[in-house]
Amino acid sequence: MTVFYQSITFLHHETGSHPESPQRLQAVMDEVAAKEIAGLTVENDPTVKIGQEIERVHSADYLKSVQQFCADGGGRIETDTVVCPRSFEVAQYAAGCAVKAVDQVLLGKTKRIFCAVRPPGHHALAKQAMGFCLINNVAVAAKHAIAHHKLNRILIVDWDVHHGNGTQDIFYEEDQVYFFSAHRHPFYPGTGMGDETGTGKGLGTIWNLPLAFGISREDYFKKFERMLLQAAEKCQPELVLISAGFDAHKEDPIGSLGLETEDFGRLTRLVAGVANQYCKGRIVSLLEGGYNPRRLAESVVCHLQELESA
């Protein structure tokens, strides 16, 4: 049983000609409606309550500064990230959807949820916006699962073409969240080498798979599956979270690692297999990158079909 969260709220994060645009989400919503995926429940405009959950990840001062920047009219809050007057409200709502999804899955209301949210989150640091991201949605979800639901072992799988540096940084010294990222390297943001494995209590909880541009699809999957299974065996997760970026697609204008649309279904099957083995199939998946709206929409449909059937 899989649920798809979508909302017109995400269209109100207006970014002009920026590649992280409302058109991405509109394309996804239109494609999901057109395909009528068997077994999928579409939930429009989920009602969320959000408060201290975000402050488990981001400092109050940082959040106030983002809120004020947006209220003052927006613009470039950092080199790559554009915001408008409503962007902070939309980012809060995205994090709220992530929190609600965790609640619904862990309370047994459904087994899997995909949240079609924006702005994305995995580059956002605790005290800094970065790489199109304001609030680290997957980190908020993980912290909520630990604090509210008393989980002890969470696995975050990030297959965005860019390394999830913000997520890694937030959990680098913690032992309850394992982070596995497969990403293009060398590439933005420059982090994510194999020797970045965590420190202190977090030593051994960070698993990075840097992949060179031009890698064959089969080599990609061999390396991905091997490290995913290693990380999962060590973590023994009680919940799997996915930072689901689709910009490793061969036609993505920003990233690309040569993947085809159907490959995101294959990635989903691999991760779902881990979830089935260790945590009764429980997955919360959150949209990150993907900047060719048509290919993004098609890839999301493949992701949803496999979430529902795997």
Side-chain angles (χ1 to χ4, degrees), residues 5-6 19 34 54 65 82 124 126 140 155 167 176 188 199 202 218 251 261 269 287 306:
Y5 283 1
Q6 65 176 19
I54 296 177
S65 71
V82 174
V140 171
L155 175 63
T167 310
Q176 293 173 294
Y188 181 90
T199 191
E218 283 310 306
E251 294 183 34
T261 298
R269 285 195 299 275
L287 179 62
E306 289 298 334

Side-chain angles (χ1 to χ4, degrees), residues 81-116:
T81 308
V82 174
V83 299
C84 72
R86 293 192 65 181
S87 293
F88 182 69
E89 166 199 338
V90 178
Q92 283 186 303
Y93 182 68
C97 285
V99 168
K100 180 172 184 177
V102 167
D103 287 340
Q104 294 296 297
V105 167
L106 292 181
L107 292 174
K109 305 295 184 181
T110 188
K111 189 163 68 170
R112 296 170 182 170
I113 298 179
F114 176 74
C115 302

Side-chain angles (χ1 to χ4, degrees), residues 57-84:
V57 173
H58 298 285
S59 71
D61 286 345
Y62 166 69
L63 295 171
K64 287 177 184 176
S65 71
V66 176
Q67 183 177 27
Q68 189 61 55
F69 189 90
C70 294
D72 289 343
R76 286 194 179 268
I77 196 167
E78 61 95 37
T79 304
D80 299 308
T81 308
V82 174
V83 299
C84 72

Side-chain angles (χ1 to χ4, degrees), residues 52-207:
Q52 66 176 358
E53 293 88 353
I54 296 177
E55 290 191 20
R56 293 189 184 114
V57 173
H58 298 285
S59 71
D61 286 345
Y62 166 69
L63 295 171
K64 287 177 184 176
S65 71
V66 176
Q67 183 177 27
Q68 189 61 55
F69 189 90
C70 294
D72 289 343
R76 286 194 179 268
I77 196 167
E78 61 95 37
T79 304
D80 299 308
T81 308
V82 174
V83 299
C84 72
R86 293 192 65 181
S87 293
F88 182 69
E89 166 199 338
V90 178
Q92 283 186 303
Y93 182 68
C97 285
V99 168
K100 180 172 184 177
V102 167
D103 287 340
Q104 294 296 297
V105 167
L106 292 181
L107 292 174
K109 305 295 184 181
T110 188
K111 189 163 68 170
R112 296 170 182 170
I113 298 179
F114 176 74
C115 302
V117 298
R118 60 182 292 270
H122 72 154
H123 294 308
L125 300 160
K127 299 180 180 180
Q128 181 182 333
M130 184 176 176
F132 313 169
C133 304
L134 302 177
I135 294 172
N136 196 309
N137 302 313
V138 77
V140 171
K143 290 273 191 178
H144 178 67
I146 293 166
H148 187 73
H149 294 278
K150 310 305 179 186
L151 266 58
N152 292 304
R153 300 181 311 281
I154 296 168
L155 175 63
I156 298 174
V157 179
D158 187 331
W159 67 55
D160 191 279
V161 78
H162 305 96
H163 180 241
N165 63 299
T167 310
Q168 173 174 293
D169 188 72
I170 288 163
F171 296 111
Y172 206 69
E173 299 181 14
E174 300 191 17
D175 61 355
Q176 293 173 294
V177 177
Y178 280 63
F179 177 63
F180 165 51
S181 176
H183 49 273
R184 179 174 163 182
H185 192 90
F187 204 46
Y188 181 90
T191 52
M193 295 302 291
D195 60 359
E196 298 168 24
T197 58
T199 191
K201 291 192 303 180
L203 185 63
T205 64
I206 305 296
W207 297 69

Side-chain angles (χ1 to χ4, degrees), residues 251-268:
E251 294 183 34
D252 194 272
I254 291 181
S256 179
L257 264 173
L259 297 188
E260 302 281 356
T261 298
E262 60 267 24
D263 289 334
F264 294 100
R266 187 174 175 185
L267 286 171
T268 307

